[in-house]
Amino acid sequence: MDLATPGLHALGKPDLWSASLLGKISHDLVTGDNSYVRPMVGVGVTRVLRNAYGESGAGGANLQVEKEWDTFVSLHPAIEFGGEHALEDSTLLRPYLRLGLTRFLSDNDRHITASLQGAPAGVEPLHGSHQVGQYLRRRLLGLDVLTKKGATVRLDYTGQFSSHSSANAVWVKLSMPF
């Protein structure tokens, strides 16, 4: 955080921990020789702990941030479209597209409470919150490549979007028998 005094910066190291439990059911509907539609629904619970921490480097303007627990309960309906295509060397290509929604069934605001280290006794702490939105639109686009020798490569793009935020991720996973 930059403060009014030039060259003065407050630095802090928040420590976050989370645990999640997600259950999902789905059913594959074969729509052709090499394609499917997979409707699915999931329910999840996530518990997030942000430990208390203090900033340093800015004297009395440093913040002392209080410990905070947040719990999020969510519903995840989605539909996936995919298929399988064999190449001449027996390699299988499995493209897929998943479109879904995350609906938070609980309050989805992130809260923070902090005090200025230099504040006089009796001054109330600062309260803030960040709204992510009750709905996240989700899309996932991927390709699995399965080789004749048993190796699998998964390429994946995932995007989550709400009225207040967005997140994008790209990843690659390689699995090989040994």
Side-chain angles (χ1 to χ4, degrees):
M1 163 166 55
D2 287 333
L3 303 171
T5 306
L8 190 62
H9 301 278
L11 301 173
K13 291 185 180 181
D15 188 19
L16 295 171
W17 293 87
S18 68
S20 296
L21 180 63
L22 176 65
K24 180 171 62 173
I25 60 172
S26 66
H27 181 70
D28 289 354
L29 304 170
V30 178
T31 58
D33 289 342
N34 298 318
S35 60
Y36 67 89
V37 174
R38 179 180 293 149
M40 61 188 75
V41 66
V43 176
V45 176
T46 300
R47 184 84 165 141
V48 179
L49 164 65
R50 186 193 59 248
N51 286 320
Y53 67 96
E55 294 179 332
S56 62
N62 289 324
L63 292 175
Q64 285 299 120
V65 180
E66 295 180 12
K67 180 178 184 175
E68 190 73 47
W69 284 97
D70 290 308
T71 301
F72 308 105
V73 179
S74 54
L75 181 67
H76 307 268
I79 190 161
E80 181 175 301
F81 304 93
E84 180 175 279
H85 307 285
L87 301 180
E88 290 180 20
D89 66 354
S90 298
T91 298
L92 296 176
L93 302 177
R94 294 182 176 163
Y96 53 93
L97 169 68
R98 183 180 303 163
L99 303 171
L101 185 71
T102 296
R103 165 68 163 102
F104 289 96
L105 304 174
S106 60
D107 178 23
N108 190 31
D109 296 347
R110 275 70 167 177
H111 304 281
I112 189 167
T113 302
S115 300
L116 288 170
Q117 286 179 0
V123 172
E124 291 291 317
L126 308 166
H127 300 280
S129 66
H130 172 69
Q131 295 179 339
V132 174
Q134 287 300 109
Y135 296 93
L136 290 174
R137 295 176 312 281
R138 300 171 56 96
R139 64 180 172 219
L140 184 141
L141 178 63
L143 175 67
D144 290 337
V145 180
L146 294 82
T147 68
K148 184 177 179 179
K149 295 182 180 182
T152 303
V153 177
R154 173 169 275 193
L155 308 169
D156 188 90
Y157 160 77
T158 303
Q160 296 184 128
F161 309 92
S162 78
S163 57
H164 300 286
S165 64
S166 65
N168 295 282
V170 176
W171 57 282
V172 177
K173 178 181 176 183
L174 174 63
S175 302
M176 296 175 55
F178 57 94

